[in-house]
Amino acid sequence: MARSKIALVGAGQIGGTMALLAAQKQLGDVITIDIAEGVPQGKSLDITHGRSLIPTSSTLTGSNSYEALAGADVVIVTAGLPRKPGMSRDDLLDVNFGIIKTVGEAIKKNAPNAFIIVVTNPLDAMVYAMQKVTGFPAHRVAGMAGVLDSARFAALVAEALNVSNEDVTALVMGGHGDTMVPLTRYCSVGGIPVTQLLSKEKLDEIYKRTANAGGEVVALLKTGSAFYSPAMSAIHMAEAYLKDKKNVLSCAAKLNGEYGVTGLYAGVPVIMGAGGIEKVLEVQLDETEKKMFDVSIAAVKSLVEWVDKKMSA
Ligand code: APR
């Protein structure tokens, strides 16, 4: 059986970390592509030097050409610019939309059968744009958000209870931003609902901290945003696809009537395997959760309307 090929578009903080993780997990050969000359080559070479220590047989190559996407089974996209001082949200949307358009067209041309995982922010709008630009079936284009938000929620629960993080499962839905919906009712610790182990006050605190987790890291780093856990999250999704694991995880998926939403990407639990997003799972939401989900969807909708306007311009 031929080795899988994992293409990483964007060799920045997240891209470089993903290259290391993919090699460490022996997911296949890793090709990293970036417009910055020397950066994808340098990072690939650096990891290559340490291959005997991990150890791994994965090969790592860097390129400045999108043609290197050829034959990729999975493409993970982090290409984009971070928001800089003085830049409005619209300015960022504009720049990153342009990048997603270029990258999307290149994927369509060079890797027409790939499964795409989008990480670039603002996530819900960028993954929507990627699917439109490539014209790929929606089950082959997913956004990385829920895996990370759920992992952050689970980490805080494990810390609060002083238990192993391995035993905590959590589910965060909705858009990737302030309006995300961490579902305390669906979080469990060794099979025990967390609501039986932590007070409502503590859970509310964890909930707020989950929604602000990215901001907390930015405030500490000062010159960049979180990259280790986003990289782990995207690689978790790639592994589910490549190994046909049929993992149940939360990601930005295009909804087709589920949760009363059609045509938008939003964070929902799905089954991820060789078919990409094989199924969107519909969990029951109580009235408060549903209201929060709807608020989150409204936020996503305004971003998507912006993308639609750009696409038809
Ligand atoms: N093609 C390929 N690479 C590009 C392009 C492009 N058109 N435009 C920019 N890049 C590259 C940059 O050169 C940079 O190396 O994308 C990389 C982005 O890396 P970082 O700035 O380090 O950002 P990172 O922390 O990796 O985050 C990437 O993911 O979570 C989101 O908000 C985050 O949108 C950001 C993205």
Side-chain angles (χ1 to χ4, degrees), residues 44-225:
S44 299
L45 181 62
D46 191 6
I47 299 170
T48 297
H49 288 155
R51 286 197 312 154
S52 64
L53 304 167
I54 311 180
T56 182
S57 55
S58 294
T59 64
L60 297 107
T61 322
S63 175
N64 298 116
S65 161
Y66 295 125
E67 281 170 20
L69 284 164
D73 298 290
V74 177
V75 183
I76 310 180
V77 182
T78 58
L81 290 194
R83 189 157 152 187
K84 300 208 177 92
M87 212 175 174
S88 74
R89 197 158 142 268
D90 266 8
D91 292 340
L92 179 74
L93 258 173
D94 208 34
V95 175
N96 282 354
F97 172 73
I99 293 173
I100 290 294
K101 194 158 177 285
T102 307
V103 173
E105 279 158 5
I107 297 172
K108 185 178 176 180
K109 182 163 169 239
N110 296 290
N113 299 314
F115 176 52
I116 306 177
I117 300 169
V118 178
V119 181
T120 306
N121 275 319
L123 193 268
D124 304 287
M126 294 303 117
V127 65
Y128 175 86
M130 178 61 84
Q131 196 261 330
K132 285 255 157 161
V133 170
T134 55
F136 281 15
H139 66 90
R140 275 207 285 127
V141 184
M144 190 293 290
V147 173
L148 172 59
D149 296 328
S150 303
R152 285 171 166 164
F153 190 41
L156 291 170
V157 167
E159 195 179 80
L161 288 167
N162 192 24
V163 299
S164 167
N165 211 150
E166 286 171 320
D167 299 321
V168 184
T169 56
L171 171 60
V172 176
M173 289 176 54
H176 185 50
D178 309 339
T179 60
M180 69 177 74
V181 190
L183 294 165
T184 40
R185 284 195 309 137
Y186 290 105
C187 175
S188 67
V189 182
I192 307 161
V194 75
T195 44
Q196 292 181 22
L197 301 172
L198 287 172
S199 66
K200 187 176 175 313
E201 291 68 38
K202 184 67 194 170
L203 282 170
D204 280 348
E205 187 190 313
I206 289 178
Y207 173 133
K208 285 195 191 104
R209 217 174 146 198
T210 302
N212 187 44
E216 213 179 311
V217 176
V218 170
L220 289 165
L221 292 179
K222 295 185 185 71
T223 56
S225 48

